[in-house]
Structures are given as C-alpha cells and as structure tokens.
Amino acid sequence: MAWFYAFLVVLGTFLAVLGITSTNVAIPKMIAPLQTDIYGIEWVPISYIVATAITIIVFNAISARVGLKNTYIIGLALFSIGSALSGQASTLEEMIVFRFLQGMGEGLLIPSSQSILFSLFPPEKRGTAMGFYAMAVAFAPGLGPTVGGYMVEYFSWRWIFYINVPVVVILLPVAYFMLPEIGYRAKPPLNLLSFLALSVSSIAFIVFLSKGESWGWFYSTKTFLAFFTSVFFLLIFALSELTSKNTLIDYSIFKEPNYLYAIITFVTIYGFVFFQIIYLMPIYFESLRLVPTFQTGLTFLGYAFLLALFALIGGRLSDRLEPKLLLLVSQSILFLTLSVFLSHIDYYTPRWKVATYMCFIGMAMGFFFAPLTALAFKSLKPHQIPIGTALYNYARLMGASIATSIATYTLETGRAFHFDEINGIRSVLTSEYLVSFMQRISGLNAFRYKVTIGQFQDLLAGIYAVQDALRTASYICLASILLTVTFLFITNKKSE
C-alpha cells in the first residue's frame, strides 16, 4: 500500500514540475497577449520564484499544524487553481498574481511530498523510494520543453496551464480519502520577525539576481537597493534568531554531517552545474541555431528518458551501496561530459551529437538525485524531516536563481569579449579588395555583405560564450568532486 501512496504523491509533484518547465517555453509568447514588453514579462517568473521561496520558509510551521497530508493537498489545489487562472489571464498584473498563487502551491507541494515519502518508507527502502520520486521529478523537466513547445507551436500557450487541471480534479479527492495522516501534529510558535525578515531578504535577493543584468548590476541604483535590502534584512533575521528562544529554523539539523554535505553538494551540482546546462542548451539551440522550440524539446527526450531510468537504478543501488560512491560516479561522468564533449560544441555540431552528450548528462544526474537525497535524510530524526525538506528545497531554489544569474552574466560578458576578439578577422573579411571580390561572386552589395559578416560575428561570439559558460560549469563540478572525495575520506576514517 505504501507504493500506492507514493504514486499519488509523486504524480502530483510530476504534474507540478511538468507545468513549471513547460511554462518557461511559453513566456516569450505571452508578451503581446498580456500587453507588455520583454522587461515586464520578466516579473512573471520572478513572482513565481518569490512565492515559492516565501512559502517554503513557512512550510514547517504549516505542516506541523495541519499535517503533511493536508499540506500536500493544499499545495496541489493552490498550484492547479493558479494554473487554471493563469490560462485565463488577460493582463500582466493578473498573470503575476496567478503565478504567485502557483508558486505558493509548489512551496507546499514539493517539500510535503518528499516528507511523506520519507515517512512512508523505512531507512533501508528510502533510496528506492527516492529513486521513484527522482524518476518522475527529473523526467518532467526533460519532457516539459517538448510538451510546452508542442502546445505553443500547434495550439496556444494558454493550454500549457490547462493540461494538468483534469488530472488534478481526479487526483485531489483520491488523495484526500486515500492518503493516511502522516507526521506529527503540533503548534510550534512561529517567530514572525524571523519569517518576515528572511522573506523580505529572499525577495530582494531574487529580484537582484533576476533583474541585475537588465538593470545594469551595481551601476544601477535599483540593483544596489535590492542587494542592500537583502543584506540588511538578512542581518535582522540573524539577530532575531540569535536573540529569540523560538527560532524559525532548527539549527541542530546542520550538526548531521551527511545533511550538511548534501545541502552543499545539491546547491553546487544541481544549481551551479545541472541548472546551468538546462538553462544554456535551449539558448544554444533556439537563439543561436534557430531550431524551433518543439524540435529542441525532442532533442532532449533521450536525456530525459535516461535520467528517469538511472534515477530508478541509482535509488535502488543507494539502498545497497555507499551513496557517496554513487555520487562520485555521477559527478565524474558529469565532469567528463562537460569538459571533453559539451563545452566544445559549435554552430556546426550535429544535433544528434549534442543529444548524445545530453544522454550522458541524464545518466549522471539520474545517479545523483536519489543517492544524495537518501544520504541527506538518513540520519535525521522523524521530527526533523519536514524542516530538512524545506531547507533542502529552499537551497535548490536559491541555487537555481544564482546559477541563472551567473549563466546570464557569463553569456553576456563572454559574448561581448569574443565579439571584440573576432574584430581582427572581421577587418580582413571586410577589406576593400575582399568586399569587391565577394560582391562579384555573391551578388550582395557592400552594405549587405558587411551586415552578414557582422551577424556571423555575433553568432560566433554567442557560441564561444556558451562554451565558456559550460567550461565554467565543468570547473565547478571538479571542485564538487574534490569535496566528495574529502568527505568520503573523512567519514571512512571516522568509521574505522
């Protein structure tokens, strides 16, 4: 019966993650219908991330009061209602509000589903359970761009928000009547000052990361103000936690070395490496190579299937083998794929080759999610699991936000650097003699020829910038491997 409960929980999470990733594809298509511009539409994903962060912060207090089952059901209901309303939005303001509601749903849904799974299964089966969870949750991001691209190309971007509603209508009553009451009920005091301070700090930091590039980073007063606000309220949060008897966070959780290692590795690999790859590859295909969205999604299908398959295998193995060894295998495959293959792709690299490289990324990440999550929670006491999942997902969210900002900055600065670097070649290609020669053989006049050369220069600069960003991700992955080896050595030494 536990596996049936697991299926109910994982299905809801799968629908939510599928909805999130497929929506990202449609954001450019929303600009005209919502009567806004590229700068206005940026607030749609920002509102979603902000809502998720705030809700995750208070997740432990909510789940303790209403129970994990009810928290999961409330999260699923909020997400689906927000999704249905987002499909009806006619203005930017409506879309921001409805996406905020969706984000609140995710903030309750994801950590509650993980907490339920850990409560349902004994420690010796949690790896397999997390493999099942990771299979569904990791497959959704790979399937999302394909589903989103298909909907945008052949139907309407609004259908991306509608597709999960019929399933949720059936799932909600089944989950309500079938899922058992799970977890401990209590009414822990909520440190309101800490909650408000951390919420404001998180909101300001997310805005800083999301709008920093378009505002001009620290050259802009708005960017500096967002960063200052984030730091100021983070200090207030720290003071509140130090002076209060009732802290917002149970800091004893960080005394568990496995959990501390897992948090650091999760942010490093998921945020700074994996999320950068997922962020950069659609830009490489759609913006630089002009591959249609749906075709781009199809290119990633093999990667998604292998990620799902190896998540099951990795979860099963983590119940039998040392999870840190599996993580070392995962990180090694990830590093080799990035440094040897993926960071060398160019404009002419065949799509099938890139798809093959992404399959190796899928294998690596399949071996990553389940063993790391099982390792993170195996030493925690039952009452620590809700706060553990909340912090774990808060770290995921912040890591992904930072990674997106780093990738965007690396891409833009790298593009500008390589554009200037290519100028030496361009001066030769646009010399008077060569322009005259090319006019004769191509039929282009001098102006159109120079414009074409400039466009090609910009394209090459973009490709080189993507290579730089992927190479940086490989260096971060190498640093994470060294951390894993060090931690493996220390823990083995202690056990002797």
Side-chain angles (χ1 to χ4, degrees):
M1 202 64 178
W3 283 108
F4 175 72
Y5 300 147
F7 172 76
L8 292 179
V9 170
V10 169
L11 178 59
T13 310
F14 172 80
L15 291 172
V17 177
L18 180 66
I20 297 161
T21 52
S22 59
T23 300
N24 293 336
V25 173
I27 284 177
K29 302 291 184 182
M30 300 177 190
I31 294 174
L34 299 180
Q35 304 163 44
T36 185
D37 54 24
I38 189 67
Y39 300 107
I41 205 69
E42 286 178 345
W43 290 104
V44 173
I46 290 173
S47 68
Y48 184 92
I49 296 169
V50 162
T52 306
I54 294 172
T55 312
I56 285 175
I57 290 169
V58 78
F59 164 77
N60 191 49
I62 294 173
S63 62
R65 283 168 168 78
V66 304
L68 289 172
K69 169 188 169 180
N70 291 331
T71 305
Y72 168 78
I73 289 169
I74 292 168
L76 186 59
L78 284 175
F79 186 88
S80 57
I81 291 168
S83 186
L85 291 173
S86 295
Q88 294 288 320
S90 57
T91 65
L92 177 64
E93 291 75 18
E94 286 181 357
M95 180 61 80
I96 288 172
V97 171
F98 298 149
R99 287 285 284 167
F100 190 91
L101 189 63
Q102 264 194 304
M104 289 175 62
E106 189 198 335
L108 296 176
L109 184 63
I110 303 295
S112 63
S113 61
Q114 288 180 331
S115 298
I116 289 170
L117 281 177
F118 273 97
S119 300
L120 283 173
F121 292 92
E124 65 273 10
K125 290 186 178 180
R126 284 177 181 171
T128 306
M130 288 316 301
F132 178 59
Y133 177 87
M135 177 196 71
V137 174
F139 182 58
L143 191 62
T146 309
V147 172
Y150 184 83
M151 290 293 179
V152 168
E153 206 161 314
Y154 297 104
F155 293 95
S156 163
W157 61 266
R158 296 184 184 277
W159 278 98
I160 291 174
F161 294 106
Y162 296 147
I163 52 174
N164 60 24
V165 176
V167 182
V168 173
V169 168
I170 299 171
L171 179 61
L172 271 174
V174 174
Y176 180 79
F177 289 109
M178 297 291 290
L179 276 178
E181 292 291 340
I182 296 169
Y184 299 93
R185 292 287 191 96
K187 288 187 178 181
L190 176 64
N191 189 322
L192 190 59
L193 178 59
S194 291
F195 167 66
L196 292 174
L198 186 56
S199 296
V200 174
S201 178
S202 300
I203 292 168
F205 190 59
I206 290 167
V207 171
F208 165 74
L209 292 173
S210 303
K211 299 292 285 185
E213 186 66 36
S214 58
W215 282 349
W217 293 112
F218 289 104
Y219 297 103
S220 163
T221 305
K222 289 185 289 186
T223 314
F224 179 78
L225 184 62
F227 182 77
F228 176 79
T229 303
S230 176
V231 173
F232 177 74
F233 279 95
L234 185 62
L235 290 173
I236 291 178
F237 166 74
L239 286 171
S240 174
E241 292 291 274
L242 286 170
T243 57
S244 176
K245 292 181 181 178
N246 303 309
T247 58
L248 184 68
I249 297 170
D250 178 10
Y251 295 97
S252 65
I253 199 170
F254 295 111
K255 292 180 181 178
E256 295 293 339
N258 286 329
Y259 185 80
L260 186 60
Y261 161 80
I263 283 278
I264 295 170
T265 304
F266 192 46
V267 172
T268 305
I269 294 296
Y270 176 82
F272 297 160
V273 179
F274 178 63
F275 199 84
Q276 280 209 65
I277 297 169
I278 299 304
Y279 175 76
L280 289 166
M281 295 314 294
I283 293 174
Y284 164 77
F285 275 117
E286 295 174 38
S287 301
L288 298 174
R289 293 186 55 170
L290 302 180
V291 177
T293 303
F294 181 53
Q295 294 299 319
T296 299
L298 289 177
T299 306
F300 294 145
L301 269 186
Y303 137 83
F305 277 111
L306 280 174
L307 204 162
L309 174 64
F310 278 84
L312 275 177
I313 297 171
R316 188 71 174 171
L317 289 176
S318 63
D319 285 332
R320 303 178 179 184
L321 303 174
E322 171 58 59
K324 291 185 284 292
L325 291 175
L326 296 175
L327 292 170
L328 196 58
V329 171
S330 164
Q331 291 165 314
S332 300
I333 295 172
L334 199 58
F335 170 70
L336 289 172
T337 306
L338 277 167
S339 59
V340 178
F341 301 114
L342 211 52
S343 62
H344 296 284
I345 58 174
D346 57 30
Y347 184 78
Y348 301 102
T349 305
R351 271 174 54 201
W352 67 266
K353 273 193 176 182
V354 181
T356 304
Y357 302 156
M358 287 302 296
C359 284
F360 285 109
I361 298 294
M363 291 166 57
M365 295 311 296
F367 265 154
F368 176 79
F369 286 115
L372 186 72
T373 309
L375 179 69
F377 294 97
K378 77 173 187 178
S379 303
L380 298 187
K381 299 175 179 64
H383 72 273
Q384 291 178 315
I385 288 176
I387 185 64
T389 55
L391 291 173
Y392 200 68
N393 283 281
Y394 182 79
R396 167 185 65 86
L397 194 68
M398 288 301 166
S401 298
I402 295 170
T404 303
S405 183
I406 291 173
T408 303
Y409 179 77
T410 305
L411 208 57
E412 293 303 316
T413 53
R415 197 167 193 158
F417 171 78
H418 289 296
F419 190 90
D420 291 339
E421 198 178 41
I422 299 169
N423 265 335
I425 302 172
R426 184 187 177 188
S427 62
V428 175
L429 293 175
T430 55
S431 63
E432 187 178 344
Y433 172 77
L434 195 56
V435 170
S436 175
F437 175 74
M438 292 302 294
Q439 278 183 271
R440 288 198 299 272
I441 65 171
S442 68
L444 293 174
N445 59 42
F447 175 76
R448 290 185 65 188
Y449 171 72
K450 289 180 179 180
V451 168
T452 302
I453 292 296
Q455 290 173 335
F456 185 64
Q457 180 181 359
D458 186 57
L459 176 66
L460 282 180
I463 294 289
Y464 290 147
V466 169
Q467 291 177 351
D468 289 345
L470 291 170
R471 200 172 294 114
T472 301
S474 74
Y475 299 150
I476 296 171
C477 188
L478 180 60
S480 184
I481 289 173
L482 295 176
L483 174 65
T484 301
V485 171
T486 304
F487 186 65
L488 192 60
F489 176 76
I490 292 171
T491 50
N492 286 345
K493 201 80 172 172
K494 285 182 177 179
S495 61
E496 288 176 2

